[in-house]
Every structure is written in C-alpha cells, then in structure tokens.
Amino acid sequence: MRAVTCCDDNRLSRRSVLRAGALAGLAGSLLDTRLAYAADPAYDGDVLVLLSLRGGFDGLSAVVPAGDPAYYAARPTIAVPKSQLIGGGTFFGLHPALAPLLPYWTSGRLAAVHAVGQPAPNRSHFSAMEELERAAPGTSLRTGWLSRMLGSFGANDPFDAIAMGTARPARVLAGPAPSLSLTSIDGLALTGDDAAKPVAATMAALYRDAPPALARTAGQLTGALDRGRALRAAGYTPAGGAVYPDTELGRALRDVARLIKADSRLMTATVDSGDWDMHENLGIAAPGRRMHDQLAKLAAAIAAFATDLGTDGLRRVTLITISEFGRRVTQNGSGGLDHGYGNAMFVLGGGVRGGQVYGSWPGLAAGQLRDGDLAVTTDYRAVIGEILRARCGVGDLATVFPGVAASALGLVTAR
Amino acid sequence: MTVFEQTLSRRTAIGGAAAAGAAAVLATGTPARADTKFHPAVEPGVEFVEEPATDPAAGLLPADPLLHLLRRATYGPSPASIAEIRRLGADAWLDRQLNPASIADPVADELLARLPLSGLSIAEIRARVAAGQLKQYDWTPMWQLSFAAAARAIWSERQLAEVMVDFWANHLNVTCPFGDVWDSRTDYDRTVIREHALGTFAGLLKASARHPAMLTYLDNRFSTRLAPNENYGRELLELHTVGLEYTESDVKDAAKLLTGLTVDNATGAYRYDAANHVTGPVRILGFTHDNATTTGGEAAALALLDHLALHPSTARRIATKLCVRFVADEPPAGLVTKLVKVYLDNRSAIVPVLRALFTSVEFAASAGAKTRTPLEDLAATVRILGYGPPPSGTKTFESLYWMARNAGQAPMNWGPPNGYPDVAAAWASPSGLLVRWNFHLSIAAGTWPADLVRPADLLTGMIGGRPAGYGALIDATAERLLGVRLGPAQTAALAAFYGKTPASQLKSNDPAVGWTYPYLMAMLLNSPNFALR
C-alpha cells in the first residue's frame, strides 16, 4: 500500500502570487486580442483541457508500478524494465517514450494519479465512454459532465467550449450549454462567401424559421465563421519554439493553444487521442512498437502545447487525460492486453503540484486485483472534482458530479 | 414532445395540395405553375388554433409518400428515380429494390470496372502480390473499395441494397482501409456484407465470424488456448448481437468457445485450428454446450452464433437499429415490437423485416423525423442534381470519397467496431455543417470534382429555361432541388443575395442566370429542407 498525499501550507499566499502572474501575462501579450470579444464576467477559472485517450489506455505501461513485483510477473514480454523508466521515484516510473514531458514532470507541473477509474467496472468501450462522459451513474441525467460544469457558470457562448479536431459533437459536452466542434480554426471558412456574395448571411436568413435543432447548428456555424475570420486574419505562430507533431492531436492542441491565447472566453476544450485499444502486440518499450510510439506521439503533442503556452499561459490552464478503462494486468496470448479496470490519469498545468504519483496503490498481487484488473481506489470524478473546485471555481460540485466529493489529494494549488 | 413528434401530428394537415404540386414538378424537372400552393402559410388558420405550437418541420418537405420512400430507402431522390417510382408505384418499386439481382445496373458496373481491385478475393490479392503486380500489404484494393462505395451510393440503381450494405458494414464494422486487413477487406465486402445484405442475419453473422477480416480486426486470430483474447467475444455479444445484456462470464465463455477460429498465415484464408480450441462446458446467454472436443469447437461456435442471431434481444436490437436508420432517431416502440416478431417468425430473414418496415403506418407518418448524415447528404446532392460520372477515370470517385471523409463520414472508415452513429444529434456540429455547405457549392458549380457530367446549360438543365423574375427563378430551382417552394421571407433573402427582390426582372445577362446560378443551387442545398431526409 502506498498512499501519496501531501498538503500545502502556503496555498493562500501562492494563490495571490499566481493571480498576479496571470494578470501580468494577460496585460502583456493577450490583452489586445482579448478586447476583441467581450470578457466573460462569469468565469475566471482555468481553461480545462480534457484529453480523452480512446480505446482503453494502459495506465500500467505509462506510469509503471516498478516497485510491485506482480507487475513484472504478469507481463513477461511487455513490461517496461526498471532500467528504462524515467522520472522515477522509489515505486513508480514513467515509460521512456514520455521523455518529452519529463521537464514538466521534474519542474512540478505534471502529475499522475494512479488506480483511478469509474465507480464500477465497465469493460465495454462504448458504454464505458458514455458513462465516463455522462458521469452520473444511477441517475437519469443525459447530459455530459462538462456541459453541466459550463451550465453552472451560465456559459452562453459557443466559444466557451470547443471540441477541437472533430466534425462531430463531443458527448461530454452534450447538454443545453452551447459548445462548438471544430475540425480546425483554419478550416473555418465558407467557400465563396464575401461581401459581394454574402452566403453566410443569406443562410442565417434561410434558417430563421427552421426546426430548432437545425437552426441551432446553423446559427453556431454562421457565428463561428465570423470568429474564424478574425482568428485567421490574426495568424498564428506557436511561442517558445514549440513544434507540434503533425498528428491529429498535435494539430488540435495547437488550435486549442491558439484559442486560449486569442480568446479569453474559452472555458474548456476537449480533444481526442485514439487507438489505445491494444489487444495484440503492444510491444516492448522501444521505437517501432505500438505502445511506445503512441506514447511518444502523445507526449510530443502535450509537450508542444505546454511549451507554446509558456509558463504564464500554463498558469491558467489545466489539462487532464482520461480514458474509459484501463487494461488487464496480465498480458494475453497475443502479446497484448484485454479490457481492464483501474487506470492512470495525467494532470498538467501551472497549478499542478507535479513530479509525483498521487492516489492509493491497491497492489497487483492476485488477491488485490478486481477480477484480474487493477482495482480502483480513487473515483476519477473526485480527481476532476478537486480540479474543478480548486482551479475552475466550481462551488457546488453536486451539479456536475452528483453524489461525489472532491478528492483531497492535494493535486493542485488553489487559484 | 420532440420536434419530430410534432412533425408527425402536423403532417396530415399539410398534405394534399403540396403533394400534388411537388409531385408534378419533380417528375418532370420543369417549373410548377405559379398558382400551386406549397407553403404551410396557406393552411387554414384553424389548424394553428388546434396546435398553437406550430410544427417547425412543416412544409420543409414535399408530403408525397413516394418521395418520402425514396428519401429513406435510397441515398436520395434523383430525377430518374423519381420518374421510376411514379411509374411503378410504391409496392412494385419496393419489390424491385428488395430483389436487387433483378435490377440491371450498367452504369455502376462500368464504374466498378474502373476499380478492378475493389472486389478481389484474398487469394486473388495474394496471387497478384506473388506475380509482382501488387506490393505486400498494399492498400490499393482497400482504397478502390472505398472509392467504389462512394460511386455506388450515388450511381447504383440498386439503391436499397447499397443502403443496406452500408447499414451492415457499420453493424459488423471492419474499418477500411486498415493495414491488418489489407488482403481481406475487399473479400469481406463481397462475400460477407454484400452476399448477405438481404439474406438472413444468422447467415451474415456466421459469415463474418469465419472471415479473416473480422477475425483479424477483433483479434480472434491471435486468441490462443492458453490465453484467450476477449475482444471479439465481447463485441460479438455487445455490438453484433444481444447488446449490453451480457455478463463478464458470458464474455469469457464466448472468448473460450471462439478460440480456434483463426486465419492461416500462409494463405490468409479462414482456418479452424482445433489445437488452439479451449474445451469444456460453456454457458452464454442461455446457450449451453459441453464443448467436449477440440474438433467439435467450430460446430459449437456456429451453434452459438445461431443462438445469438435468433435471440430475442438480438431481434430487438436489429429491429431498433433498422428503425433508427429508416424511421426516426427515437423509433416508435410499437413498430419495433412488430418488426421483432417479423424477424423471429422469419428466422432472421432481412427482406420481410424491411418490407414490414417500409409499409408500416409508422414509417408513413415519419416524414421530417430523420436528418441526413454527411455521407447521405453528399450522395443526395449529386443524385438530386442529376450529375453523371465522368466517362473515364476514377479521380472523381476519389474526390467524392475525400469530401465524405472531410465531413467525418467516409464510407467504412469508422475506426471502432460500433460503426458510425445514425442519429441527428451525433452529426449536428457546425464543423460538419460547414463541410457540407462547402461541398454543395463546389459540386453544383463543378469546381470540385471538376469532371462530373453536368447539363451543357446549367439553367436549362435544372429548370428548363430563364424565368421572368427573381422570385420565379428561386421558386423553380427550389422545386427542382427540394420538391417545395420556400416561404416568402426565405425567397426574399435569396433574392437579396443578388441584391434584388423576388419581383425584380431577370435579364439574360444577369450573373444570377450565369456564373452565380450555382450559388442559388448551393444555398438551396444548404437549406433546412435538404438537410432533412
């Protein structure tokens, strides 16, 4: 059993320092573009970036419990050897492909939480994702938890919440609060539309009496086209020498950073990273192997995002990774991992007290598993709840996560 | 009450006049008489007293039941299909579509001949690799299959069969293109999906379970006696058959029973490997089997598949899914129950279920209750314009495929095993709408793809000639593309796009009847009317 908790005596004083820093940053580089749109009076919390690792992320490969001998026994050909781990403490170490994130880990802006997951095992991708994003088991709620979070702030502008990199709406944003799904900012252009041929304006008129569901999407589009025009005109060069990988995730995070820097109204953004469903040939921790290469791409994109935001920008951003379930502890006959339960989350941000693994480790020995899987000792909603409380200013967590109390891991400092 | 339920209750009220007018227009492609009444505004006021919450979808679609059937059972009406269904009537048209082998399909046949790798068997692909005509792991056959899917959706005469191929390809999804199925994905399309699309579900399911593409995609080929891989066992229960009614024990037993169903690495063909079959009794959702011998493992697995195919929960899932595709996002419960009975009475035969669905009162009452997905929108765009394929080459099919992909719905390209979503809310995003609006203009104007066969004179080809005024131009084009006229405010907005009013005279050198006419066509295709199915 390894409990990792700590406390921060200086929370209040640190908070005021952070605020001053954030304001200074805004006053400098961001103020001009910020004025282009009305400031959102209801929200001054962190921009919450939700990075969904689709397909069942193997947290045990990413944040390796090297101190638990059962880990090596269960995975004879795919375990990450102790000698290859990075950023390690005495018990956990990170997969070497996460090296691009090591500076953020060692400087304390990236943390992990282990043995997290949903309150009950659900090993179906599709229903687990649905439940993860609805986040209200045992209730009849049909909205996504991010939509409820937005609603608690009275968010009323589609640009408050962006699902970036997708042509389809995000389930976690399903609900009455407005949101946008955008494949990219540069792609926000309507062919042929100009002052002489006002296609967008004409379409707005055509949809005026349309069925509400159709009218809403059309209205969001015509509004977004205006905003897109301004953003494109402003152009974008990542800061700090950040180089985003040319992947869907890299492009999506680049556009999230672009919005964060240009538009202070953004409250939350969701991005997806797929292809974590590795039933076969997950591979050793070496280039060319599936898990290694997937983690490397993930780390490169997140690291570029953090570099681009810079220290000041990151002060008002928290990025969380989630996945619908973890993988089985024991590898299968195909050198892969079937669907499991407990998992690891990453948390990156200026307010994170990083460089360590949080949570309560249940152990991987046979008697400590839950039907062969890593047991869950921390509800993922409690982890997010702590961030929503401390970083986003959510007062009443019950509206977002009914029946869940925020964790007291001390994962982040209060804003 | 949802928007769509409101539609149902209002539908009968808007009937008659609109139906008659729209029918005449669409059948001939010529403008309707100016005195034909199309818009709900002309309905007697008493209707609105009865139902003060006016139906937002009313008047957006022509009320003609033949056009309703065409919009649902095909990738969208085309001028030719409208003429055909008028000639045959609904019943004969449906009979014909449910027997696709009876339909000559020369245009699609010729298009497929340009994509000769799209229908290759595993052995044929491997033979070409051996002969040096294809590279090992070559994706060309999968790409040709993908481009062929776009071409078939638009130009095949066997429209309902194509729609059902899409339906089953989603239900038993094997992502295309996908590297691990480089040699088997085209064969899967031909011998599993197409072969059984209008056969029985039991036959379809068993064919998929013994196909290398499915066994590879869901990892069963790698499942071993000592460490069964659960991926296929779980999706077989959850996605292919009963739905979320299984227990973890059902999954484990299914995974055990399915061991041995694998792929011969030497030939790429399906093989039952008795030496890798896990023996011992299994119990899966009411199915029990001693599973005593390794040699009997394949027969036992097939018995499970028959059991699952005819399980009442599977019947309900399939019936519900078909209703979601063809009737409404939230299907009428009574219709689903009726179709479950038809499915079970006919031992999972698909044609009787479809016939019952399309002839039901619930189907007839569902106009306005479905929104086009991006792929449907794309195909429907080319179909209603009546544009033909270019006389040679495949570039256009590739362009159409990439357009669908940009909109988020390239045929067969969904990654996870659950298939593309089939409800409006899943596609109601500004990003997706933008892609659609953009392709409406580029297709109508012929900028991309540039070589679709369009009328020599677009205006004449669409509406027969130049009307006297802007209002008449807009009305005639709306009738041609949507089957209805727009309301006065919308018509005025379109005239205003040209800096005119509906009453403005139309001169022969006005851009509106020249190079900017495609803008009018595109804006009508962007309209909420066309967005509905």
Side-chain angles (χ1 to χ4, degrees), chain B residues 66 80-90 92-93 96:
Chain B
L66 294 178
S81 70
I82 294 167
E84 184 197 36
I85 202 168
R86 297 227 180 287
R87 197 173 66 243
L88 295 177
W93 182 88
R96 190 164 178 270

Side-chain angles (χ1 to χ4, degrees), chain B residues 341-359:
Chain B
K341 185 172 186 318
V342 176
Y343 177 98
L344 293 172
D345 286 351
N346 289 278
R347 297 192 62 76
S348 83
I350 295 155
V351 165
V353 179
L354 290 177
R355 195 183 301 281
L357 187 158
F358 286 120
T359 56

Side-chain angles (χ1 to χ4, degrees), chain A residues 59-151:
Chain A
L60 292 171
S61 282
V63 183
V64 177
D68 195 324
Y71 165 76
Y72 290 100
R75 299 181 168 190
T77 65
I78 59 169
V80 185
K82 274 184 193 163
S83 59
Q84 283 187 263
L85 296 174
I86 59 173
T90 52
F91 191 87
F92 292 106
L94 302 181
H95 193 288
L98 296 173
L101 291 172
L102 195 57
Y104 299 95
W105 182 263
T106 52
S107 67
R109 281 167 292 167
L110 173 67
V113 192
H114 226 316
V116 289
Q118 306 205 34
N122 179 342
R123 296 176 182 84
S124 148
H125 290 297
F126 314 104
S127 74
M129 274 188 235
E130 194 159 325
E131 191 48 61
L132 187 81
E133 302 186 14
R134 190 179 71 103
T139 75
S140 59
L141 281 175
R142 288 287 169 267
T143 49
W145 67 261
L146 261 182
S147 179
R148 298 195 293 271
M149 181 267 212
L150 290 161

